Amino acid sequence: DLAQVIDRIMNYPKITNYNGVEYNIKKSVKIRSIRVIRVLFLSPALEEKMMAKKTIGEILTKDVVFVSPTTPTSDVVSIMREKKISCVLVMDGNNLAGIFTERNLVHLLHQVDGAIGDKNIEELMTTPVLTIKSNTTIYQAHDFLEKHGVRHLVVVLPDGMVAGVATQTDIIDNLETEYFLEHKDLSRIMTRNVVIMKKGQSVQDAIDIMTKVLISCVLVEDNNVPVGILTERNITELFHKNMDMKALKIEEVMSQPVQTIPQNRSAYEAVILMIQKKIRRLVVVNDDGGIAGIITQYDILRELEWSHMESLHELIEEKEKKLIEAEKLAAVVQIVKDVAHEIRNPLHVLSMGLYYLQERSQKDDASICKTIERMNNAITRINGFLDNFVYEANKGCGISNHNK
């Protein structure tokens, strides 16, 4: 029982896993109890195989918000802000009509002059919606995200009905990242080219830059020290409050203080901090507290590509090994069949000769008839042995009896 295991290991303040890494058990349990068990007992190779089979249907968010096509955009944004979600699905009856995300809103605020809150969501949503089947593996889902440049995956069942939505956050939360990232240097995977803005610039300036560069946030600095951050979530809230983006100064509405992490920390520590703070990005700082870069969920998922390639390589090797074994078994079966055939040929000739001899022999010569009978019995037993020999060879190779 998992609860009993957790209670037992909680008696130990610290414990060392398979590769010598020491973990603070009580701290880990507060983050995710099941993670502790995997840290202690699963090797990277085993965890990699588990992840290769884990499907997006196992990790998706089922509590999805649906709206009708005629819902005003202002109402949709209010729902997103209230529930602290990054997207809603637009349903026309039982049909998936579109999706609307925080990024959609930011891009609209860059492109459209005038109010958009009174427009129906069907006029502004993204359509058609890219969907993915629930039995898709996490690795395949990540590839889909990367290929199409989206952050939300609408997951559908085999009958086409919506099962839920999977986001980068869902994937990150289920990667068991200590096995993928705990020994990877944070400075190696972070984004160094950070878009930085100065105090005094408007929120509309930030929106324009975020749309043109296709980023989800901008940093505000003072003497290279991060003092604030403006994200898509911030802009969604400002839109909900009907704020004038051109009149607002970025320092008036930015999130502060900024959540930072030293550049000498591991990517694993960054993931844990994101989970604790329920955020999607961290500002990476150098020894002097200056901006060194930014680490986002996207940066972390990019690392999954290498793990995916390694996993595919292992799976290919495993399949090749099985194929070689199957070919060897098939070759053995063929040899068995050939040997049986070569033995049966002379046995058939001998059997025919005995039949001819029996026909030509005197009926009253009991000794000859007895000898012929014993020889026929021996031939029958040998044929029976050959039948069983071929049958067992076929069964070992997974071939049905009627094909023997």
Side-chain angles (χ1 to χ4, degrees), residues 227-231 234 250-251 253-259:
V227 295
I229 186 170
L230 188 74
T231 69
N234 296 135
I250 195 169
E251 65 269 18
V253 295
M254 66 186 182
S255 295
Q256 54 182 322
V258 179
Q259 187 63 59

Side-chain angles (χ1 to χ4, degrees), residues 379-391:
I379 291 172
T380 300
R381 286 197 301 274
I382 293 173
N383 276 318
F385 169 76
L386 291 175
D387 287 341
N388 288 332
F389 189 35
V390 173
Y391 172 78

Side-chain angles (χ1 to χ4, degrees), residues 106 210 216-218 229-236 255 281:
V106 173
M210 291 167 65
S216 61
C217 69
V218 292
I229 186 170
L230 188 74
T231 69
E232 291 172 340
R233 181 65 52 88
N234 296 135
I235 295 170
T236 300
S255 295
R281 59 190 68 79

Side-chain angles (χ1 to χ4, degrees), residues 5-40:
V5 175
I6 293 294
D7 289 340
R8 184 169 297 178
I9 65 175
M10 281 288 287
N11 293 325
Y12 299 89
K14 291 184 179 181
I15 198 162
T16 303
N17 75 348
Y18 64 93
N19 61 359
V21 176
E22 192 177 68
Y23 286 86
N24 184 314
I25 294 301
K26 292 186 177 181
K27 181 179 178 182
S28 295
V29 170
K30 289 178 182 177
I31 298 172
R32 176 172 291 179
S33 58
I34 191 66
R35 187 183 295 264
V36 178
I37 303 301
R38 286 175 171 154
V39 168
L40 297 180

Side-chain angles (χ1 to χ4, degrees), residues 219-233:
L219 294 182
V220 183
E221 60 91 25
D222 186 8
N223 293 323
N224 198 40
V225 175
V227 295
I229 186 170
L230 188 74
T231 69
E232 291 172 340
R233 181 65 52 88

